[in-house]
Amino acid sequence: MTTTSNLWTNSDLRLQASRELPGLTKELESDKSERMERIEHGTDLFDEMKQRFLSFKKHKYMQNLELYEKLAKDQAPKFMVIACADSRVCPSSILGFQPGEAFVVRNVANMVPPYENGPSETNAGLEFAVNSLKVENILVIGHSRCGGIRALMSMHDDVETSSLIGSWVSVGMNARVRTKAATKLLNFDQQCKHCEKESVNCSLVNLLTYPWVEEKVRNGELAIHGGYYDFVDCAFEKWTLDYKESNPIGKSGKVAVKDRAFWF
Amino acid sequence: MGNLSQEEAIEGLKKLLIHNDKDEQILGGFQSFKTNKFDMYPALFRELAERQNPKFLVFACCDSRVSPSSILDFQPGEAFTFRNIAGLVPPFNKMRYSGVGAAIEYAVVTLNVENILVIGHSSCGGIERLMSHPEDGSTANDFIDDWVQIGLPAKAKVKAEFGHLPLDEKIRECEKEAVNLSLTNLQTYPYVRERMARKALALRGGYYDFVEGCFKVWEVKTIITTPIHS
């Protein structure tokens, strides 16, 4: 395997300093189609990425050197966020998390498998965030039109799936079962929307199956929250798990919530 | 309440719904996004609501300092982004690594991305854990160790080539070598290999050094040399 490489550093920044770099809020739509055209041509891809990194460096990194010097030594985020890998739902974009603020795990359909499923990339991240970084909040964010949830809702019962997507989203099977029971009269799209939120609650329940998570929640050192981003209407819902009212979580898997908010 | 205008009533209700300063931080972030992005580009977001068509699948670390949308300015819709400890990609294994496999399958087969970018970074806790963990079985593995073991081939390579360096420099080398390992592992996924063969998919590695403030990027190329005749 051979590689061709590019290194962008301070010297490049000096060359760029005299030129105005595209800002985030300027002409996003026409800029986007121009940028997409450049990306389609492979050799321009490096140039595009270079422009973007140098823009970040000029407008953010150099403007906040003290913060970045501090972050270079250590991170101490207060949040762990579990979000979907969907290109439309980056937590830094939609909730404005700045560097250093949120430790972010992103997977298909923002799922948290239970403790008994054994090791995975998601619970490795969970362990690091809770035990090493000692975050104070975990926020699981679901979203509208989720392809992973749609795949979960579309699966045939009793048939072992051969696809990797099917294997992974099966983690959310409880959410699918509860959704199908509660939404018999709704159409498939509406059922999927219900499942998107039900799956977040399923993940919150699964978080409590980790003994070191449950202990910290019980002691009041850690709060766990659900969130739902609707990018059709641009609205955000959030809720917090009410541990005292939820305990014990019965066979129904239902959780009690508090501090519900809806922003639009 | 009867004398308040509708706007005042809504503002009052919104205030009641901010329960603490964490709520306030997230609400502020969301409102800023809605005002400066979503409401400014309605046609774009209407299109995105119907479907996503990202050109990139990005693998990056969960580290709070390395969000790809911050450092490479990915806009909504541009990059399907998987974030895990150390941004590692394991080899194809349906039983053990279905999470990562699901992301690759969805991005490559369903979304038809044209580029996969794997980004490593400086001061990576996951790579440090990999390099520091004794291999003599004296320490029990937890979930983190189980995950970062994916990087063992990169650790072995670094120890062989840079055995003379102090640990912190070996860690730096491993942060980059782990990206190359992930790029190699990506090619064990049949649909990745198939698309690379017909030049529909390009693989790239990246390394973000936030101590020095620089970004390095490289591309995977496969060369088959012409046969040598006797």
Side-chain angles (χ1 to χ4, degrees):
Chain A
M1 187 173 81
T2 65
T3 58
T4 58
S5 92
N6 283 278
L7 176 66
W8 309 319
T9 60
N10 286 325
S11 57
D12 292 303
L13 186 59
R14 279 199 293 277
L15 285 171
Q16 295 294 330
S18 56
R19 280 204 344 238
E20 198 190 329
L21 289 162
L24 279 176
T25 55
K26 259 193 208 174
E27 306 296 320
L28 189 63
E29 274 174 335
S30 56
D31 197 43
K32 176 182 185 267
S33 58
E34 277 166 26
R35 291 201 292 195
M36 284 296 111
E37 255 185 65
R38 292 207 292 271
I39 283 171
E40 255 136 32
H41 302 98
T43 47
D44 291 325
L45 187 68
F46 285 117
D47 197 53
E48 178 61 39
M49 284 166 61
K50 174 179 173 175
Q51 298 300 326
R52 293 188 186 201
F53 177 71
L54 292 178
S55 175
F56 156 73
K57 184 153 182 188
K58 181 183 177 189
H59 296 289
K60 296 205 179 148
Y61 190 95
M62 302 296 274
Q63 304 291 329
N64 297 287
L65 267 179
E66 207 181 299
L67 167 68
Y68 281 94
E69 271 160 21
K70 190 168 153 224
L71 287 178
K73 298 193 177 78
D74 211 355
Q75 57 170 333
K78 298 258 187 292
F79 280 90
M80 175 189 186
V81 176
I82 298 164
C84 187
D86 191 299
S87 63
R88 300 164 286 191
V89 305
C90 172
S92 321
S93 299
I94 59 176
L95 296 180
F97 286 113
Q98 298 303 306
E101 290 187 336
F103 184 85
V104 179
V105 166
R106 291 180 71 181
N107 62 34
V108 171
N110 45 271
M111 292 202 173
V112 179
Y115 180 73
E116 57 263 24
N117 280 21
S120 73
E121 72 288 311
T122 301
N123 53 33
L126 181 66
E127 187 167 52
F128 191 76
V130 174
N131 291 346
S132 299
L133 297 178
K134 300 196 192 319
V135 295
E136 297 168 4
N137 299 276
I138 302 177
L139 171 61
V140 180
I141 308 176
H143 71 94
S144 51
R145 311 251 170 112
C146 182
I149 296 294
R150 198 168 188 92
L152 171 67
M153 290 295 289
S154 307
M155 279 164 70
H156 295 295
D157 301 323
D158 307 332
V159 171
E160 185 173 304
T161 176
S162 58
S163 79
L164 283 160
I165 298 170
S167 292
W168 171 251
V169 298
S170 301
V171 161
M173 197 49 77
N174 284 347
R176 169 186 150 121
V177 167
R178 284 207 291 279
T179 295
K180 287 209 180 253
T183 59
K184 288 194 178 80
L185 298 178
L186 299 183
N187 67 39
F188 187 66
D189 285 344
Q190 290 167 324
Q191 289 186 328
C192 284
K193 185 163 182 141
H194 190 276
C195 193
E196 283 154 4
K197 297 184 192 180
E198 198 60 53
S199 169
V200 171
N201 283 335
C202 187
S203 290
L204 299 188
V205 169
N206 286 347
L207 280 171
L208 290 178
T209 63
Y210 294 84
W212 22 272
V213 171
E214 210 230 342
E215 189 190 335
K216 287 191 155 69
V217 173
R218 198 179 341 116
N219 295 340
E221 296 163 43
L222 178 63
I224 54 186
H225 319 270
Y228 183 79
Y229 170 46
D230 181 341
F231 53 59
V232 182
D233 299 323
C234 198
F236 194 86
E237 269 179 80
K238 66 130 293 231
W239 57 95
T240 298
L241 181 82
D242 189 335
Y243 178 75
K244 289 195 183 70
E245 293 300 317
S246 298
N247 201 24
I249 292 173
K251 284 196 182 129
S252 66
K254 280 200 159 163
V255 292
V257 300
K258 59 180 183 177
D259 296 350
R260 198 181 269 281
F262 184 71
W263 304 324
F264 51 89
Chain B
M1 279 291 275
N3 289 332
L4 290 174
S5 70
Q6 197 180 37
E7 289 82 2
E8 283 167 327
I10 290 172
E11 280 310 308
L13 207 57
K14 278 187 184 171
K15 285 204 178 86
L16 284 175
L17 295 173
I18 297 171
H19 298 280
N20 50 51
D21 55 359
K22 293 287 173 291
D23 274 15
E24 192 145 2
Q25 178 189 345
I26 303 174
L27 171 60
F30 179 68
Q31 282 179 332
S32 176
F33 163 73
K34 189 173 158 84
T35 310
N36 298 322
K37 288 264 179 87
F38 197 96
D39 291 341
M40 294 279 275
Y41 306 102
L44 170 67
F45 282 96
R46 252 197 313 276
E47 194 191 310
L48 284 178
E50 293 307 314
R51 68 191 58 79
Q52 57 172 330
N53 187 27
K55 295 271 186 280
F56 282 89
L57 162 61
V58 175
F59 282 93
C61 187
C62 312
D63 193 298
S64 64
R65 301 163 285 191
V66 305
S67 165
S69 48
S70 292
I71 57 181
L72 293 179
D73 197 27
F74 283 116
Q75 298 301 312
E78 289 189 332
F80 189 83
T81 305
F82 196 89
R83 292 179 71 181
N84 63 38
I85 297 275
L88 291 168
V89 182
F92 180 78
N93 185 325
K94 186 192 161 190
M95 293 312 294
R96 198 157 174 214
Y97 301 124
S98 65
V100 176
I104 297 173
E105 187 177 281
Y106 192 74
V108 173
V109 178
T110 305
L111 297 178
N112 278 305
V113 296
E114 295 168 6
N115 301 278
I116 304 182
L117 172 63
V118 180
I119 307 175
H121 72 94
S122 52
S123 308
C124 182
I127 299 296
E128 187 184 341
R129 185 75 166 249
L130 168 70
M131 292 298 290
S132 316
H133 192 76
E135 286 161 59
D136 56 7
S138 58
T139 315
N141 278 354
D142 53 19
F143 291 145
I144 305 173
D145 300 310
D146 195 276
W147 176 252
V148 299
Q149 272 182 10
I150 292 166
L152 279 174
K155 178 177 180 177
K157 188 162 190 248
V158 166
K159 280 170 86 165
E161 280 181 34
F162 302 103
H164 54 285
L165 292 179
L167 180 63
D168 60 332
E169 285 182 50
K170 283 210 274 280
I171 292 171
R172 276 318 66 76
E173 292 302 325
C174 195
E175 285 160 358
K176 296 167 204 164
E177 200 52 53
V179 173
N180 284 335
L181 174 64
S182 292
L183 293 171
T184 303
N185 285 344
L186 274 167
Q187 296 172 72
T188 63
Y189 291 75
Y191 22 86
V192 171
R193 226 177 17 250
E194 187 262 323
R195 278 163 174 76
M196 283 179 78
R198 53 184 170 89
K199 303 209 186 317
L201 183 62
L203 264 49
R204 289 178 169 86
Y207 181 75
Y208 172 43
D209 185 339
F210 51 66
V211 180
E212 301 297 322
C214 62
F215 193 96
K216 196 172 182 175
V217 63
W218 58 97
E219 189 175 357
V220 171
K221 283 189 189 298
T222 307
I223 298 168
I224 298 174
T225 60
T226 51
I228 300 167
H229 296 281
S230 61

